[in-house]
Amino acid sequence: MSIMSIFSAISGCYWRSPDLLSNRESKSFLKVKARSSRRPRRAVVTMSMEAGVGVMGTKLGMMSYFKADGEVVPVTVVGFKEGNIVTQVKTEATDGYSAVQVGYQRARDRKLTKPEMGHLQKAGAIAMRHLQEFRLLSVDAFQPNQRLVFDQIFQEGDLVDVSGTTIGKGFQGGIKRHNFKRGLMTHGSKSHRQLGSIGAGTTPGRVYKGKKMPGRMGGTKRKIRKLKIVKIDKDLNVVMIKGAVPGKPGNLLRITPAKIVGKNIPKN
């Protein structure tokens, strides 16, 4: 007997207690009750540990970089506006975890609220638009209002993790969003770009969670791991990173050392 038939039997116009059910029905009822009581609790999401302090930058675009041996490398050019200043140092004693809060991109004072201005003035920093934290094992080498310089943290050839917000595509169908195959365009077919069946009938009588369907595409946070730094230009204050990174030109990027388990972060 299916679960739906049990619920329909015990939730109809009359009620039968579990002891009045048949042996088979009572066993199924107890199984359903046990499943409902074993629902997992919602896990607490914690910030992951970084391999080292990082910086924020602004995506400028992509170009081709020619090495000395003539090899052409597609790179993303990342620039840096005024900022990357330590605004707060969090420790186990004061906040329960160790992290460094960094501010980026100068903003007008009237663009920030009074609590935000008071937080930055406490550290002696300028008004900045973006604040992000980097959770570290040790924060002894940092102090408020300390300026982070990219070429002092990273070197050419290092691997970095770059995260940002992807380009928003709006509401898209299944073909563009999930790479579905379209139907025939000829031979009398009337289903070209439609989604098609989204589930069975009476059983289960619903659409499973996580079903790939049309919806909003893009505009989400995405991290690209282990990208190589090709060139650091101190004169232009830009860095060239091999490959593509999330977002369009002008997008905010978060650049951190690539996490390699067992090498720069603990296995646990």
Side-chain angles (χ1 to χ4, degrees):
M1 181 178 290
S2 65
I3 296 176
M4 296 299 296
S5 61
I6 296 174
F7 279 124
S8 62
I10 65 177
S11 61
C13 58
Y14 61 92
W15 169 258
R16 287 193 298 168
S17 62
D19 54 352
L20 296 179
L21 295 174
S22 64
N23 187 24
R24 187 176 179 182
E25 289 177 343
S26 60
K27 288 183 179 179
S28 301
F29 180 81
L30 293 176
K31 285 182 180 179
V32 173
K33 189 175 181 180
R35 288 175 187 172
S36 61
S37 62
R38 290 200 307 263
R39 289 180 181 175
R41 295 181 179 180
R42 184 173 297 178
V44 178
V45 179
T46 58
M47 185 171 54
S48 61
M49 193 76 64
E50 297 289 353
V53 70
V55 297
M56 285 176 278
T58 304
K59 180 177 178 178
L60 301 181
M62 293 196 68
M63 60 174 289
S64 296
Y65 177 78
F66 291 84
K67 291 185 176 181
D69 57 358
E71 181 184 357
V72 182
V73 181
V75 296
T76 299
V77 184
V78 180
F80 300 97
K81 298 181 180 180
E82 188 175 3
N84 284 322
I85 300 173
V86 177
T87 57
Q88 186 180 2
V89 179
K90 297 187 176 183
T91 61
E92 292 282 350
T94 58
D95 299 276
Y97 65 98
S98 300
V100 176
Q101 187 185 84
V102 180
Y104 178 71
Q105 190 174 348
R106 181 161 191 154
R108 297 179 182 178
D109 294 349
R110 62 184 181 89
K111 294 293 185 180
L112 276 65
T113 63
K114 288 186 178 180
E116 292 172 341
M117 286 297 301
H119 174 70
L120 294 174
Q121 289 174 358
K122 183 178 179 180
I126 60 176
M128 288 175 287
R129 186 180 302 274
H130 306 286
L131 294 178
Q132 290 195 14
E133 284 188 2
F134 299 89
R135 188 170 181 179
L136 306 172
L137 291 173
S138 176
V139 293
D140 298 336
F142 303 95
Q143 56 185 357
N145 205 22
Q146 177 183 348
R147 189 175 297 273
L148 303 178
V149 183
F150 187 87
D151 57 343
Q152 295 179 359
I153 303 175
F154 301 97
Q155 304 294 331
E156 294 182 1
D158 290 350
L159 298 179
V160 294
D161 294 341
V162 183
S163 60
T165 304
T166 59
I167 299 176
K169 302 292 184 179
F171 194 97
Q172 299 296 332
I175 293 179
K176 183 178 179 67
R177 192 179 186 212
H178 300 295
N179 298 318
F180 286 173
K181 182 180 178 181
R182 65 168 175 80
L184 295 176
M185 302 301 291
T186 56
H187 298 285
S189 173
K190 296 183 179 179
S191 177
H192 305 307
R193 296 180 66 90
Q194 287 85 344
L195 187 64
S197 174
I198 58 174
T202 305
T203 305
R206 62 186 177 89
V207 179
Y208 287 118
K209 291 184 179 181
K211 172 65 179 166
K212 293 182 179 180
M213 299 178 71
R216 181 169 293 186
M217 180 180 178
T220 57
K221 185 179 179 180
R222 187 66 54 86
K223 177 186 287 186
I224 310 298
R225 300 191 60 224
K226 297 182 180 179
L227 298 178
K228 187 177 181 180
I229 298 177
V230 178
K231 178 71 175 179
I232 298 177
D233 196 323
K234 299 180 182 179
D235 297 333
L236 299 177
N237 196 23
V238 297
V239 59
M240 300 179 187
I241 301 175
K242 183 178 180 179
V245 300
K248 59 182 181 180
N251 188 39
L252 176 69
L253 298 176
R254 175 188 173 106
I255 306 174
T256 57
K259 292 194 287 188
I260 304 175
V261 178
K263 184 177 180 181
N264 51 18
I265 60 173
K267 293 183 178 180
N268 56 354

